[in-house]
Amino acid sequence: MEVENFVSKTIELLQEEREAEVEETRAWQENLSPKNLQNKGVYLLKLQVGSQRTGMYGRLLVVFEPRKSIGPSVLPSNTFGPGDIIGLYQSEGQGQSSQLGSGVVTRVTQTSLTVAFDDTQDGINVDRDGLYNLMKLANDVTYRRLTTALNSLNGYSSGPASYLISVLFGYSEPGTLSHQNVLEFSNVGLDNSQKEAVSFAISQKDVAIIHGPPGTGKTTTVVEVILQAVKQEQKVLCCAPSNVAVDNLVERLAKNKVKVLRLGHPARLLESIQKHSLDAVLAHSDNTNVISDIRKDMDKAFSEMKKARDKGQRSNLRREIKELRRELRSREETAISQILKRADVILATNTGASDDGPLKHLPNDHFDLVVIDECAQALESSCWIALLKARKCILAGDYKQLPPTIKSQSAASKGLSVSLMERLIKKYGDSVVRMLTTQYRMNSAIMQWASEQMYQGKLIAHPSVEKHLLRDLSGVVDVEETRIPLLLIDTAGCGLNEMEDTDEQSKGNQGEVDIVALHIKALTEAGVQVRDIAIIAPYNLQVDLLRQKLSHKHTELEIKSVDGFQGREKEAVVLSLVRSNRKGKAKIKAAATDIAAAATADDDFDTLIDAVVKAERVCGFVKCKASVLTLGQLCIFCKRQYCLSHHIPEVHGCGDKAKAQARMRISKEGVLYAGSGEKDKSIDPNKKAYLQRKLDSKLKDMATQRKTKAKDKEH
């Protein structure tokens, strides 16, 4: 029942996820302007064609760039990446025109985006002088492949993965191979934890997990595992959730003279590895000439059939075309099958390994081993596409980092976000896991917190980076900014509050932008190369603000979102966390202080921070020096502290905003609040009656007193 329950529950959650994705796309298109869609990172406005050329297999490659006439030619922060499907639209005002066509993103930089359009799309005709919009499109192919794999898992009765399924769902215990040969490592530079992980992975009978924290050489270890499997004449299917991760493995394996074959649309592949793609290898195979001759014969027969007037002749030509088509299909399938069988390692994305692709030409028991890299970032259902094809699997990744990307929070909370790697570690613990413990990326001061909080303090910095500082780089001088491995700047209480764009689609913090700019200035003046620095932020608006501030001056400076930078390395990384408000997490619309916004390139950190701290302690009203540390009021409109004499909005300059908010409340709630509209001078009826009674009593007393005085005079 374990498999049946998993499949039924997961299909239900995938449906929920699919509906959430479709609904999100629909809601965005209906309710958000193109500008807001761009803020979301799924739309790019008014791009011009930088260049175009014919790529492999007749595909049209078009490079889109921002208009050079409007400031720095840098693309807005976006979520476009290699392999994404995009829609192309004519840029006509703010309305969305009809789609001109669709293509596949092949390359993205900070200044351009390259799209491949298939040669079958005859209607694609881009004008060098025209302006175009690009939109990221939803694709249901992935959903169909996931559900197909789950249904196959549910009905799996006999095949190479039968025992593996039993182990991964807890019916059987993981085992170890009885005969184990001493390994001769191809990479002699492996450390002890990497060697142990490789040996363990090879010795396991059905499943092994390589847990690789950041900088520990996970990919290096995975490559060694594959090389050892190939030495043992095993056929390997290697997958990962992203094209970039797969291409990285292709490059590494190709350098080791392994017969690799990369499946997938050539437009989705890095140019450096396209020669290893199935299309490229097929184009140079022995059957190429024969296949080409058959296609020519078909074209000739089609041409003759159009000219033929005799019914019998047309019928004969039709039969000839049918036979030629059958021969062509047979030849192509034979050629593809031969190419697939000759490869030692076939690589594809998780969904690219589906049975509706080239792998259908291989027998069910062709593969001995399935390797899934970055497994912790993949939906478990996507892993089963490949897992059903072999008797053993090796999973690599880091389940302590980002989980699979999921649109539906409901589906995620119900278990869709739990990866196969995380589930197996919870089920079997250390018995199926080997963790890499030596990291080669960062100073121990940077590593320490993560090691203690997430990796049980097991991470050890390699001596080459343990005390490595920026000042150790060639050409970098020894100053404060280059001798500190980890610098934390706490802006709490400094007035550097977050802001939001007017439509609340993203968040930014101009004060942090100014601080980042000052730090970049200090680093570059100390000799750190701009290409060795990266700036990352969790919000698209902040990425755009940073680019507006810095990209025109430092063209090689990489500024990306946290997700967009994942897996990359730089000598110096500056992280702008953006969020800063008085409620800790609430969405507060605030402007940065004038002091931070007016920071000049000649200011330094201490001067800037001292200025804003002092400004935060006194009343925000011009020339008022009253302290607001103990008796101060925060204006909800400008987010400044004022003394009791100046805290009223009408006094310090926010009167118009206060009136606007009052009008909005009245229109929404139909209630007249104090301070809104004209003052009601009429007296409350109850109070009026009370005052009248009091007045009558007073008059009566006064009348009595007058009578008494009059009698006294008479006597």
Side-chain angles (χ1 to χ4, degrees):
M1 287 297 292
E2 191 78 21
V3 173
E4 290 84 349
N5 290 339
F6 170 79
V7 170
S8 61
K9 179 183 177 182
T10 305
I11 288 179
E12 181 182 323
L13 295 180
L14 284 175
Q15 176 65 26
E16 196 173 323
E17 167 70 1
R18 175 62 181 164
E19 289 173 357
E21 183 179 17
V22 171
E23 173 59 26
E24 180 185 66
T25 302
R26 185 197 62 78
W28 285 357
Q29 291 175 334
E30 290 182 0
N31 302 320
L32 296 183
S33 66
K35 182 67 164 52
N36 286 339
L37 287 172
Q38 182 166 272
N39 289 339
K40 283 284 188 183
V42 298
Y43 205 81
L44 291 172
L45 283 166
K46 296 183 178 180
L47 302 181
Q48 64 185 27
V49 176
S51 63
Q52 56 181 316
R53 61 186 174 87
T54 301
M56 292 183 68
Y57 321 115
R59 294 179 176 94
L60 176 66
L61 296 180
V62 182
V63 178
F64 293 95
E65 301 172 339
R67 288 182 294 172
K68 292 182 170 59
S69 58
I70 52 168
S73 55
V74 178
L75 288 174
S77 178
N78 61 81
T79 61
F80 290 75
D84 286 338
I85 298 175
I86 62 95
L88 176 69
Y89 304 87
Q90 194 83 40
S91 181
E92 297 174 351
Q94 287 299 309
Q96 185 162 306
S97 58
S98 60
Q99 185 174 312
L100 300 176
S102 62
V104 177
V105 177
T106 65
R107 188 165 183 262
V108 180
T109 68
Q110 286 188 205
T111 58
S112 68
L113 184 143
T114 306
V115 180
F117 296 99
D118 200 78
D119 55 356
T120 59
Q121 298 189 40
D122 299 327
I124 294 292
N125 182 22
V126 292
D127 182 4
R128 290 293 293 268
D129 297 324
L131 293 177
Y132 300 92
N133 298 340
L134 301 181
M135 183 172 183
K136 199 173 179 180
L137 300 180
N139 185 3
D140 64 349
V141 173
T142 297
Y143 171 73
R144 293 201 307 269
R145 288 177 174 175
L146 296 180
T147 53
T148 299
L150 289 170
N151 288 325
S152 298
L153 169 63
N154 204 24
Y156 202 93
S157 56
S158 62
S162 295
Y163 191 76
L164 178 61
I165 293 172
S166 181
V167 171
L168 297 188
F169 282 100
Y171 299 116
S172 305
E173 290 293 317
T176 304
L177 295 173
S178 54
H179 299 290
Q180 301 177 32
N181 299 323
V182 177
L183 299 182
E184 183 178 334
F185 295 103
S186 300
N187 185 347
V188 295
L190 296 178
D191 62 47
N192 291 334
S193 67
Q194 291 171 337
K195 289 178 181 178
E196 183 183 357
V198 172
S199 299
F200 173 74
I202 296 298
S203 67
Q204 286 297 99
K205 182 180 179 181
D206 27 59
V207 60
I209 296 176
I210 298 174
H211 181 194
T216 55
K218 173 182 60 63
T219 303
T220 299
T221 307
V222 170
V223 167
E224 182 66 31
V225 169
I226 295 172
L227 294 176
Q228 293 297 331
V230 171
K231 280 184 182 179
Q232 297 180 10
E233 299 184 347
Q234 295 182 23
K235 293 291 186 179
V236 182
L237 173 60
C238 185
C239 299
S242 69
N243 283 289
V244 173
V246 177
D247 288 344
N248 187 27
L249 286 167
V250 173
E251 283 187 315
R252 300 281 290 272
L253 289 167
K255 290 178 182 178
N256 285 275
K257 311 301 181 184
V258 178
K259 295 178 183 177
V260 297
L261 184 67
R262 171 70 156 98
L263 305 185
H265 194 300
R268 290 180 167 91
L269 317 182
L270 294 174
E271 290 185 12
S272 59
I273 61 97
Q274 285 185 346
K275 61 185 177 182
H276 300 295
S277 70
L278 176 59
D279 291 43
V281 177
L282 183 61
H284 296 88
S285 69
D286 298 336
N287 292 282
T288 302
N289 293 333
V290 177
I291 291 172
S292 178
D293 289 341
I294 295 173
R295 285 179 175 154
K296 288 178 182 178
D297 290 342
M298 288 179 66
D299 292 340
K300 183 180 178 182
F302 273 119
S303 178
E304 291 178 358
M305 191 171 69
K306 290 179 181 179
K307 298 176 182 178
R309 295 185 177 181
D310 181 66
K311 188 176 180 180
Q313 185 181 5
R314 286 201 303 270
S315 180
N316 290 334
L317 287 169
R318 197 174 288 112
R319 278 196 300 271
E320 181 182 350
I321 291 172
K322 187 176 181 181
E323 290 297 324
L324 287 170
R325 183 176 284 117
R326 185 183 295 114
E327 177 68 14
L328 178 62
R329 187 182 298 113
S330 175
R331 289 277 185 177
E332 285 181 335
E333 288 179 355
T334 300
I336 291 172
S337 178
Q338 289 174 351
I339 293 169
L340 291 169
K341 288 178 180 177
R342 281 200 298 266
D344 294 322
V345 185
I346 294 177
L347 300 101
T349 58
N350 289 1
T351 54
S354 62
D355 285 330
D356 61 357
L359 293 184
K360 65 186 177 184
H361 298 296
L362 289 175
N364 291 336
D365 60 351
H366 176 77
F367 293 106
D368 301 292
L369 173 66
V370 168
V371 177
I372 301 180
D373 194 16
E374 303 294 358
C375 182
Q377 294 177 30
L379 292 173
E380 177 170 349
S381 51
S382 73
C383 297
W384 282 106
I385 295 174
L387 290 175
L388 296 178
K389 293 177 168 59
R391 65 178 187 272
K392 176 180 176 178
C393 71
I394 295 172
L395 313 177
D398 182 11
Y399 66 101
K400 298 291 188 179
Q401 293 190 59
L402 290 176
T405 302
I406 295 176
K407 299 283 186 184
S408 170
Q409 293 303 311
S410 172
S413 65
K414 294 174 185 175
L416 191 62
S417 63
V418 178
S419 67
L420 173 63
M421 185 177 182
E422 184 177 0
R423 182 172 71 80
L424 291 178
I425 290 176
K426 288 180 180 178
K427 181 180 287 291
Y428 292 118
D430 293 340
S431 65
V432 295
V433 184
R434 289 297 180 272
M435 178 177 162
L436 307 180
T437 56
T438 303
Q439 67 86 15
Y440 300 83
R441 184 178 295 168
M442 65 200 90
N443 186 290
S444 58
I446 303 174
M447 174 202 75
Q448 184 177 357
W449 180 86
S451 177
E452 293 175 353
Q453 296 296 318
M454 294 187 288
Y455 305 107
Q456 299 86 47
K458 294 180 180 179
L459 289 187
I460 301 171
H462 189 267
S464 62
V465 298
E466 181 182 13
K467 298 180 180 179
H468 184 58
L469 300 171
L470 287 174
R471 68 182 182 187
D472 299 327
L473 296 174
S474 176
V476 177
V477 298
D478 182 6
V479 295
E480 184 179 12
E481 287 82 2
T482 62
R483 73 172 72 105
I484 301 175
L486 178 64
L487 174 62
L488 303 175
I489 301 176
D490 183 4
T491 63
C494 296
L496 305 185
N497 289 338
E498 68 192 54
M499 58 183 283
E500 293 183 4
D501 70 359
T502 55
D503 295 297
E504 299 184 357
Q505 299 303 320
S506 191
K507 296 178 178 63
N509 189 316
Q510 187 61 52
E512 283 191 17
V513 171
D514 296 327
I515 290 179
V516 169
L518 290 171
H519 193 61
I520 297 301
K521 179 176 181 291
L523 291 178
T524 53
E525 288 181 348
V528 180
Q529 297 295 313
V530 174
R531 63 176 177 271
D532 291 331
I533 305 173
I535 305 173
I536 58 179
Y539 298 100
N540 286 335
L541 178 58
Q542 186 72 351
V543 172
D544 288 338
L545 291 173
L546 287 162
R547 287 178 176 175
Q548 291 168 15
K549 179 87 172 181
L550 295 164
S551 291
H552 67 284
K553 184 177 181 181
H554 305 292
T555 56
E556 290 184 294
L557 183 61
E558 190 166 350
I559 307 173
K560 288 187 175 181
S561 66
V562 175
D563 290 350
F565 189 75
Q566 189 186 4
R568 296 180 52 72
E569 297 181 12
K570 293 286 184 178
E571 296 291 352
V573 177
V574 180
L575 171 61
S576 175
L577 291 172
V578 180
R579 301 305 300 269
S580 180
N581 55 64
R582 296 182 181 277
K583 293 184 180 179
K585 61 179 180 179
K587 294 182 178 179
I588 296 180
K589 184 177 180 181
T593 62
D594 293 337
I595 295 172
T600 67
D602 296 326
D603 292 331
D604 58 29
F605 278 123
D606 294 336
T607 303
L608 178 63
I609 298 300
D610 285 346
V612 292
V613 168
K614 288 177 182 177
E616 187 75 359
R617 292 173 178 169
V618 299
C619 175
F621 192 69
V622 179
K623 295 184 180 180
C624 180
K625 301 301 180 183
S627 173
V628 293
L629 287 178
T630 54
L631 291 176
Q633 293 287 330
L634 175 70
C635 174
I636 63 173
F637 304 107
C638 64
K639 297 295 179 274
R640 290 185 173 89
Q641 288 278 114
Y642 293 95
C643 67
L644 298 182
S645 298
H646 300 119
H647 77 279
I648 299 173
E650 285 77 6
V651 173
H652 66 248
C654 289
D656 291 340
K657 294 178 181 178
K659 289 177 183 177
Q661 187 195 51
R663 292 191 194 99
M664 183 179 67
R665 291 183 67 186
I666 293 169
S667 63
K668 282 185 176 180
E669 304 172 21
V671 178
L672 193 63
Y673 292 91
S676 59
E678 292 296 324
K679 183 178 180 181
D680 185 1
K681 298 180 180 179
S682 62
I683 302 175
D684 179 81
N686 294 326
K687 188 174 183 180
K688 184 177 180 180
Y690 167 75
L691 292 173
Q692 186 64 52
R693 287 195 302 272
K694 195 171 182 180
L695 178 61
D696 291 343
S697 176
K698 185 73 172 176
L699 291 172
K700 188 176 181 180
D701 290 343
M702 291 174 67
T704 302
Q705 288 176 4
R706 282 199 298 271
K707 289 178 181 178
T708 303
K709 289 180 180 178
K711 288 179 180 179
D712 290 342
K713 286 182 179 179
E714 291 176 358
H715 291 295

